[in-house]
Amino acid sequence: MPHRHVQRTGPFALARTLAWLRLCAIAGQSVAVLVCSEWMHLGIPLLPMLLGIGLLAVFGVFAAWRLGQPWPLREWETIGHIAVDTLVLGYLLYFSGGATNPFITLLLVPIALCAAALSVEALLAVSVLAGLAYLLLLRWYVPLPRPVHDNIDFSLHVIGMAVNFIITAVLLGFFINRLAYALRLQQLEVQRIRERALRDEGILAIATQAAGAAHELNTPLSTMRTLLPELRHEHAGDTLLAEDLALLEGQVDRCRTILREMVAFGKAQLSQEPERLSVAQFIHGCLERFQLLRPEAELALTLDEATGRTVLRTPPGLRHALLNLLNNAADASVIRHSNAVALLVCRDEGWLHLRVRDHGPGFDTNGEFILLGYSQKPAGLGIGLALAEATAERLNGELVAHNTEDGAEVCLRLPLAVVAEK
């Protein structure tokens, strides 16, 4: 089932705010009408006013249903919601004194909310609607019944103004703060997407350069692979030189193997065909490769049997992401003269956790270590963590890092719904 994107700002956020306001209005208006009629014994038209509140409640149910639908909410729909609320409020004010009612200023609330969430055109439309309602209520309305004593009438008016002031202040303060908070969240999301785009652009540039370098390196590596056996044969009597030449030949073969793996990885990435392996098979395959790259590393693996039997649809980049984390952990441990690296694999509430721990100095920044090009190692390129984070995001996961008592831990969290075989 596809995930429906929830709008945090704009028409949807305003419509959601209006839904809560409408609920508060229904409750408040019902209490106010009943208090005026039953407790204060004012001769207001009870039945027409309760009918208007009932119509608002029916529309509130419809609006709540609409907000739960998958199709996007347009701006004109939000203006329609505001129009219904304004008409119902104007209807209630018509039977309760019109513009002389202290609660007439509630017509300004939708205008203030629109100013924070909608376009200028929508704001003008809502302002015109509220202005027309106010002008009509200046001329046509049912006067409120006057109490016997004029001072009581004045006191009721003052009390109404005070209650109206409190309601308006609370509504504007609370709901505009919510809209502003939603806007800040959107700005942070835009900034995060921009940073991701810049990082991905940098990764793509590095990948392009790496592909060109791999193509160009193939020829000199083939030449060295041809010449080294001949040199070994010519200097067979020199034991030390023969050992050095054998080491060089092994390194050349390793470079050629890496280039072939790069090409194979590129083909697998283009095909988008995941490799189906159990977690145990995947982890042990990664560790075998890591031990070849870092034979001096002392790796401790923690993997329970239930997690090990989970079958993964392993994407091509996941193995490289884990190897990057293990290699970074080994480099960090070496800084403190240790070769110890720990890998903890577990599953929890629909997530697969790959935790890599080291015994190094830890991170000395506040979460900026994933920026492309940043590295705490003197000879580091600063792309290992960035590549791992890009892989995690591509799989709807995340990369979380924090310092521990004797080093650091980087956790690659992946949703089993994406990476596990169904």
Side-chain angles (χ1 to χ4, degrees):
M1 180 179 179
H3 175 68
R4 184 171 71 92
H5 175 65
V6 177
Q7 298 169 289
R8 293 185 178 273
T9 57
F12 184 88
L14 179 55
R16 186 172 52 187
T17 300
L18 290 172
W20 285 105
L21 276 174
R22 195 173 296 115
L23 183 63
C24 297
I26 293 170
Q29 291 165 358
S30 301
V31 171
V33 169
L34 292 176
V35 167
C36 291
S37 175
E38 304 300 327
W39 183 59
M40 301 178 64
H41 302 291
L42 293 178
I44 59 175
L46 182 61
L47 184 60
M49 298 188 73
L50 291 179
L51 178 61
I53 297 173
L55 291 175
L56 185 62
V58 172
F59 178 75
V61 172
F62 166 77
W65 170 83
R66 174 62 185 88
L67 291 175
Q69 300 309 304
W71 57 85
L73 190 76
R74 305 299 180 185
E75 189 172 69
W76 62 267
E77 289 186 76
T78 306
I79 296 176
H81 290 196
I82 295 174
V84 173
D85 294 332
T86 303
L87 290 175
V88 173
L89 179 60
Y91 172 83
L92 295 176
L93 290 172
Y94 170 79
F95 287 104
S96 56
T100 63
N101 191 315
F103 293 97
I104 189 67
T105 55
L106 290 178
L107 290 171
L108 297 175
V109 173
I111 299 176
L113 295 177
C114 286
L118 299 184
S119 64
V120 176
E121 293 79 6
L123 175 61
L124 290 176
V126 173
S127 300
V128 169
L129 180 62
L132 287 175
Y134 185 84
L135 291 176
L136 291 174
L137 291 171
L138 280 174
R139 177 65 179 83
W140 292 283
Y141 61 90
V142 176
L144 282 172
R146 300 178 63 85
V148 179
H149 302 288
D150 291 341
N151 59 340
I152 297 178
D153 183 22
F154 180 76
S155 299
L156 289 177
H157 187 79
V158 171
I159 293 174
M161 292 178 61
V163 173
N164 178 55
F165 176 82
I166 294 173
I167 292 175
T168 304
V170 171
L171 292 180
L172 293 180
F174 179 73
F175 287 103
I176 290 183
N177 178 263
R178 286 188 58 183
L179 288 173
Y181 175 71
L183 182 61
R184 289 194 296 270
L185 287 181
Q186 185 189 47
Q187 291 174 343
L188 291 175
E189 181 68 16
V190 170
Q191 182 180 359
R192 189 165 64 93
I193 291 175
R194 180 177 177 275
E195 291 175 353
R196 286 183 180 179
L198 291 174
R199 183 207 60 197
D200 293 342
E201 184 178 350
I203 291 175
L204 180 60
I206 293 173
T208 303
Q209 294 295 326
H215 178 71
E216 295 178 6
L217 284 174
N218 187 52
T219 299
L221 286 176
S222 298
T223 302
M224 286 187 283
R225 191 168 183 271
T226 302
L227 293 178
L228 285 172
E230 296 180 3
L231 290 174
R232 288 180 59 193
H233 180 71
E234 292 177 5
H235 300 277
D238 193 336
T239 305
L240 293 178
L241 181 59
E243 291 178 356
D244 291 339
L245 291 174
L247 177 61
L248 287 175
E249 188 175 358
Q251 294 297 317
V252 170
D253 288 336
R254 179 181 172 186
C255 290
R256 286 174 57 85
T257 300
I258 293 174
L259 290 180
R260 285 195 294 269
E261 289 181 352
M262 287 176 61
V263 175
F265 173 73
K267 291 181 179 179
Q269 190 73 18
L270 288 174
S271 66
Q272 294 294 321
E273 285 294 329
E275 187 179 7
R276 286 167 173 78
L277 296 171
S278 67
V279 172
Q281 291 173 324
F282 169 73
I283 295 298
H284 288 299
C286 291
L287 297 189
E288 289 177 3
R289 174 67 186 278
F290 176 68
Q291 291 292 352
L292 290 175
L293 295 174
R294 307 294 293 264
E296 77 283 359
E298 300 172 0
L299 182 63
L301 173 64
T302 302
L303 174 62
D304 60 90
E305 186 177 352
T307 303
R309 289 196 301 266
T310 303
V311 179
L312 300 179
R313 292 179 286 113
T314 311
L318 183 57
R319 180 178 287 105
H320 290 267
L322 182 56
L323 287 173
N324 282 334
L325 297 182
L326 290 171
N327 193 54
N328 284 346
D331 290 337
S333 294
V334 167
I335 297 177
R336 287 190 172 178
H337 310 289
S338 173
N339 292 321
V341 176
L343 173 61
L344 294 83
V345 184
C346 62
R347 55 182 298 174
D348 178 39
E349 296 181 354
W351 290 85
L352 178 66
H353 299 259
L354 305 175
R355 302 180 182 273
V356 179
R357 295 177 181 173
D358 61 57
H359 297 276
F363 297 106
D364 58 3
T365 60
N366 296 322
E368 298 179 358
F369 50 83
I370 298 179
L371 292 177
L372 185 64
Y374 174 83
S375 177
Q376 294 182 200
K377 298 179 290 185
L381 298 177
I383 62 175
L385 285 175
L387 290 173
E389 189 198 28
T391 299
E393 290 177 355
R394 191 168 60 251
L395 299 175
N396 295 333
E398 62 179 351
L399 193 68
V400 181
H402 63 272
N403 291 331
T404 60
E405 294 181 358
D406 59 346
E409 177 183 290
V410 180
C411 178
L412 182 61
R413 299 179 71 246
L414 302 173
L416 290 172
V418 175
V419 300
E421 187 72 27
K422 296 180 181 178

